[in-house]
Amino acid sequence: MSEISVFVDSRGGNTKKVADAIATEAGVSIGDINGTLPEDAKIIFLGSGTYGGKPGDAMTKFISAGNFTGRKVALFATSGGAEGAKNMMSIMADAVIQKGGTILGDYHCRGKFLLTNRGHPNQEDLENAKKFVRETLAKK
């Protein structure tokens, strides 16, 4: 098992692309959002698309069921607009903190939604996600 875990709730595939880049950079596989948090996970990357300004239901349930005491968490998101993602990640951060976790940081990029943000997340967004992983792991 690995001390680093990545979990994602992605309906349209945008956030999954970012999660794939994060997992590849961290050298791990993406965990099952419908499963449980591994006991040995010390640094956890949690990502969700933004759905009505909130994280996805599966992510909300995952955080609520998890024990984050003593664990460090980095958040990531995609959304049609920056404000929605900020609000959504704030909701996730508050939930993780209430469950005993520490937030290391967050990363957001645009995701394609209907006719907006076509082509996103793009290669630059994914490279920035990888940079986010390197910077986050340097903080541990």
Side-chain angles (χ1 to χ4, degrees):
M1 296 298 256
S2 174
E3 289 188 354
I4 302 168
S5 294
V6 179
F7 294 90
V8 64
D9 184 351
S10 179
R11 293 183 194 164
N14 294 321
T15 316
K16 171 78 166 62
K17 289 178 187 175
V18 176
D20 286 337
I22 287 172
T24 298
E25 188 67 24
V28 299
S29 299
I30 297 173
D32 179 4
I33 191 71
N34 296 308
T36 58
L37 194 56
E39 295 281 328
D40 60 344
K42 297 195 182 346
I43 299 175
I44 304 149
F45 290 84
L46 298 178
S48 178
T50 306
Y51 308 107
K54 299 178 185 173
D57 291 340
M59 181 56 69
T60 300
K61 289 176 187 171
F62 184 80
I63 293 171
S64 139
N67 176 5
F68 291 88
T69 303
R71 300 175 196 237
K72 298 176 181 177
V73 179
L75 306 174
F76 62 98
T78 61
S79 68
E83 270 319 296
K86 285 181 187 176
N87 293 336
M88 187 275 290
M89 285 193 290
S90 177
I91 291 169
M92 285 176 60
D94 289 346
V96 166
I97 291 166
Q98 286 180 4
K99 298 293 285 184
T102 301
I103 303 299
L104 288 175
D106 59 60
Y107 173 74
H108 163 263
C109 69
R110 294 180 287 167
K112 182 181 76 136
F113 177 69
L114 300 176
L115 300 176
T116 63
N117 300 330
R118 287 187 177 218
H120 288 276
N122 62 22
Q123 194 57 43
E124 181 181 358
D125 297 327
L126 300 179
E127 289 302 320
N128 286 334
K130 291 177 182 180
K131 179 180 176 192
F132 170 64
V133 172
R134 292 188 299 273
E135 291 171 351
T136 299
L137 294 180
K139 294 177 188 179
K140 69 176 187 169

